[in-house]
Amino acid sequence: MSESKRQDSRQMTGAAMIVRALVDHGVEHIFGYPGGAVLPIYDEIFQQSEIEHILVRHEQGAGHAAEGYARSTGKPGVVLVTSGPGATNMVTPLTDALMDSIPLVCITGQVPTHLIGNDAFQECDTVGITRPSTKHNWLVRDVKDLARVLHEAFYVATTGRPGPVVVDVPKDVQFATGIYTPPRKSDVHVSYKPQTKGDAGQIRKAVTLLANAKRPVIYTGGGIINSGRDASKTLRALVEATGFPVTSTLMGLGAYPASGKNWLGMLGMHGTYEANMAMHDCDVMLCIGARFDDRITGRTDAFSPGSKKIHIDIDPSSINKNIRVDVPIIGDAGSVMTDLLEAFKKENKKPRIDPWWFEIGRWRARNSLAYKKNNDVILPQFAIQRLFEATRGRDTYITTEVGQHQMWAAQFFGFEEPHRLMTSGGLGTMGYGLPAALGVQVAHRDSLVIDIAGDASVQMTMQEMSTAVQHGLPIKIFILNNQYMGMVRQWQQLLHGNRLSHSYSEASPDFVKLADAFGCVGLQATKPSDLDGAITEMISVNKPVLFDCRVAALENCFPMIPSGKAHNEMLLPAEANDDATAAAFAGGKALV
């Protein structure tokens, strides 16, 4: 083919370039909402069949759906929204994705270049507004730069520590004609080259500490899941080879199986007693793909005071950011763990830690997740346990909203594999779970996808049930309805003298009737004896379901490390039911 004919085949409008770039990067689904500044792109979408567009009801829903898609597949989620309010409605999911290291590529429309800065209709400074909410962003003023920028966007979003990016494309650039170039590594002109291979000397130092540990613990995070399925397998091999106990952040659940013999449960503010005490009393801590955030550390000056700390992270800015560590290793979690495991085996010195496991056994015996059974009212812990039992052996994905139900899901739903829990960890975004479930279901059409929700949180994005119905996505919304903003109410009870300021949902909808209005299925359970049958029906229905599970209104989520306290100052259920709880919570008295 002559050069002129080859160029002719690559000559196209900016809008066509965007669609072509998505196809070239393997994109099969895109979540979006049309508007004036992206109509040329939507016209191109209409004329092709390689990418399925999922029409949401609000741009925030598109962002969270793309997050769920990305988290459950390991692929980047892609979003298309218009200028102005379309872009600003994306700020929450972009920030959410940035905090939780989720790869998103968001394409926003912009007013024509000659109108930028003139306060044109539906204009905003998208690049300026989203700069702190993204890993990187671009405003493309010339169609000649568009293909390169799109390829760079996918590269930045998916390499190193994943995250969201924004490509802002003015409408005249979408109409303009230029030459499209397919993605090539040589065309990626960014100075971003993350280090994936860990330093051999640092790995040797880590192995020496681990081989001589008497009270070790492995502390894992979402970075292991982001590294890919092989990283989770390597973690399991590392735990088996060392015999060490392992715990996880909320974002890391599933990297090590909940049924594993070395599993301590989740750690942190609502983690298990044994996980938090092991973190407090360990002598060597191996942190892999986690960032020592405040929900994990509690009081930083009292966090694991006697331990040597090894920190593996691909993001150099996370090293020594919150907690000073002794052996930092910058690199991909999977790659570094592979080298660490190989070096540990060569050391041929497995620590004798039977006394440490004996101590952990004593902490486990406290049964920190225990709750009092009730035959008259559904307890939320019981509801999650029954949901977990009903889904055993099924190809199940769980999303959550944010609040008490989120923590109960983490405590009582046993995650055996990575990429099975999609939740808002760092930002704590109410309304995340329902649209995230849509994204998961789009990616896994034949799987069971359940959003474990709260009655307050789920109402923030309830309109996306229309999306589920339109696209035939049989998501299940399992609402733990306690008629409160449960976590807000819990803090008000413990810290603010039980003054429940605006945390009671006085005008909650009838979710069964609401389901009918949306054209989906509504179910309700009010007694423990009704629960199993209703869950079975929810699972069996091949349509979107709103399940109104009426649970105890004033049940609190324990264990709990009060804000500003250390790991050994946890509130356990037994003490938490004592009249002295609030005073201890506010006054700093250690109850354990």
Side-chain angles (χ1 to χ4, degrees):
M1 184 186 294
S2 66
E3 182 61 26
S4 60
K5 288 185 177 179
R6 187 179 293 112
Q7 287 213 353
D8 287 344
S9 66
R10 291 160 42 197
Q11 187 166 343
M12 60 188 74
T13 65
M17 285 185 190
I18 290 170
V19 175
R20 176 71 65 85
L22 297 182
V23 172
D24 284 351
H25 283 277
V27 175
E28 297 175 340
H29 302 94
I30 183 170
F31 303 88
Y33 200 93
V38 285
L39 288 185
I41 305 172
Y42 270 90
D43 191 48
E44 291 294 333
I45 289 173
F46 184 84
Q47 299 178 65
Q48 58 83 51
S49 58
E50 293 174 272
I51 300 173
E52 181 183 5
H53 179 274
I54 306 297
L55 176 65
V56 296
R57 299 307 187 263
H58 189 283
E59 290 88 356
Q60 181 183 352
H64 293 322
E67 284 189 273
Y69 185 95
R71 183 72 173 174
S72 67
T73 63
K75 303 175 183 178
V78 182
V79 180
L80 174 61
V81 297
T82 195
S83 63
T88 58
N89 282 341
M90 271 296 298
V91 170
T92 295
L94 287 171
T95 309
D96 192 275
L98 184 68
M99 293 281 279
D100 288 345
S101 307
I102 308 300
L104 294 188
V105 175
C106 176
I107 298 167
T108 57
Q110 184 55 274
V111 300
T113 52
H114 69 277
L115 291 178
I116 292 176
N118 288 348
D119 294 331
F121 177 68
Q122 290 193 333
E123 181 196 357
C124 72
D125 179 8
T126 299
V127 167
I129 289 169
T130 64
R131 184 171 288 118
S133 303
T134 55
K135 196 173 171 183
H136 196 60
N137 60 17
W138 297 260
L139 170 61
V140 184
R141 291 177 174 268
D142 191 329
V143 72
K144 295 177 183 178
D145 299 323
L146 182 56
R148 173 185 56 80
V149 168
L150 290 166
H151 303 328
E152 288 179 358
F154 276 90
Y155 172 78
V156 172
T158 57
T159 54
R161 180 180 176 179
V165 298
V166 165
V167 180
D168 196 32
V169 188
K171 194 169 184 178
D172 58 321
V173 174
Q174 297 171 41
F175 278 122
T177 300
I179 302 297
Y180 174 77
T181 54
R184 296 177 301 183
K185 286 187 178 180
S186 59
D187 291 333
V188 177
H189 303 294
V190 291
S191 59
Y192 172 66
K193 295 180 180 179
Q195 179 179 330
T196 58
K197 188 78 172 173
D199 180 80
Q202 293 295 89
I203 290 173
R204 284 194 297 271
K205 289 180 184 178
V207 168
T208 299
L209 284 176
L210 295 171
N212 292 283
K214 292 181 172 57
R215 300 186 309 279
V217 68
I218 299 175
Y219 152 38
T220 63
I224 293 178
I225 294 176
N226 288 339
S227 184
R229 295 185 185 276
D230 286 345
S232 294
K233 294 177 182 176
T234 306
L235 171 65
R236 297 169 193 219
L238 180 64
V239 172
E240 183 66 27
T242 59
F244 291 174
V246 57
T247 181
S248 170
T249 66
L250 175 67
M251 298 304 293
L253 291 176
Y256 185 83
S259 61
K261 63 180 181 179
N262 292 44
W263 178 239
L264 301 181
M266 183 179 72
L267 80 156
M269 179 172 283
H270 292 286
T272 65
Y273 184 60
E274 54 267 33
N276 284 319
M277 290 303 292
M279 288 286 280
H280 187 270
D281 286 359
C282 70
D283 66 347
V284 176
M285 177 193 304
L286 174 59
C287 173
I288 311 170
R291 55 188 176 85
F292 294 100
D293 74 281
D294 61 297
R295 292 289 160 131
I296 295 301
T297 62
R299 266 179 57 201
T300 54
D301 62 346
F303 174 70
S304 194
S307 69
K308 295 290 185 180
K309 300 174 181 67
I310 306 160
H311 188 189
I312 300 169
D313 205 293
I314 200 166
D315 181 4
S317 71
S318 292
I319 303 290
N320 291 324
K321 183 176 182 179
N322 298 321
I323 297 292
R324 295 294 300 180
V325 299
D326 301 280
V327 183
I329 305 175
I330 298 171
D332 172 74
S335 173
V336 176
M337 276 194 296
T338 298
D339 293 342
L340 190 70
L341 177 58
E342 183 179 338
F344 184 86
K345 288 179 176 179
K346 286 181 179 178
E347 186 80 8
N348 198 25
K349 182 183 177 183
K350 190 171 182 177
R352 297 182 177 276
I353 57 172
D354 289 345
W356 179 231
W357 274 113
F358 179 79
E359 183 67 20
I360 289 171
R362 293 178 61 237
W363 292 327
R364 278 176 167 167
R366 295 291 295 269
N367 197 10
S368 62
L369 296 181
Y371 61 92
K372 294 180 180 179
K373 300 294 191 294
N374 192 314
N375 294 324
D376 299 318
V377 64
I378 300 173
L379 293 177
Q381 303 95 319
F382 177 75
I384 300 297
Q385 283 186 315
R386 298 315 301 162
L387 181 66
F388 173 57
E389 291 298 327
T391 57
R392 275 184 185 270
R394 292 178 177 271
D395 184 25
T396 305
Y397 293 83
I398 299 294
T399 70
T400 80
E401 306 295 336
V402 169
Q404 286 179 318
H405 60 276
Q406 178 189 30
M407 295 297 103
W408 282 315
Q411 291 172 341
F412 292 97
F413 201 101
F415 294 97
E416 297 293 308
E417 299 293 335
H419 302 284
R420 295 289 169 158
L421 171 64
M422 277 53 66
T423 191
S424 175
L427 194 62
T429 306
M430 293 176 70
Y432 167 92
L434 197 163
L438 293 175
V440 177
Q441 193 78 78
V442 166
H444 308 277
R445 295 279 182 166
D446 298 324
S447 301
L448 176 62
V449 181
I450 303 172
D451 172 29
I452 296 175
D455 56 294
S457 189
V458 76
Q459 292 186 65
M460 289 200 167
T461 52
M462 179 62 71
Q463 70 277 355
E464 300 305 335
M465 289 304 292
S466 288
T467 305
V469 172
Q470 176 182 342
H471 294 280
L473 303 170
I475 59 174
K476 320 299 181 187
I477 311 302
F478 188 74
I479 305 169
L480 298 183
N481 186 353
N482 59 11
Q483 301 176 67
Y484 280 94
M485 299 173 204
M487 194 63 84
V488 174
R489 194 266 313 147
Q490 178 170 334
W491 279 70
Q492 288 175 335
Q493 176 188 341
L494 297 177
L495 193 59
H496 297 282
N498 204 32
R499 292 181 293 277
L500 308 186
S501 178
H502 299 282
S503 56
Y504 177 59
S505 303
E506 295 187 61
S508 287
D510 182 325
F511 288 107
V512 174
K513 289 183 178 178
L514 192 59
D516 185 58
F518 276 118
C520 54
V521 175
L523 300 172
Q524 187 181 77
T526 59
K527 298 178 181 178
S529 57
D530 300 334
L531 191 56
D532 285 354
I535 290 175
T536 299
E537 184 178 356
M538 176 189 76
I539 293 172
S540 66
V541 172
N542 191 29
K543 292 182 68 175
V545 176
L546 283 175
F547 187 120
D548 183 11
C549 183
R550 296 298 183 100
V551 299
L554 299 177
E555 187 72 8
N556 283 335
C557 184
F558 292 105
M560 181 178 184
I561 302 174
S563 181
K565 301 297 190 294
H567 284 90
N568 62 342
E569 297 177 288
M570 293 186 72
L571 294 174
L572 298 188
E575 292 96 352
N577 289 329
D578 192 287
D579 291 339
T581 296
F585 189 94
K589 175 183 174 184
L591 295 185
V592 295

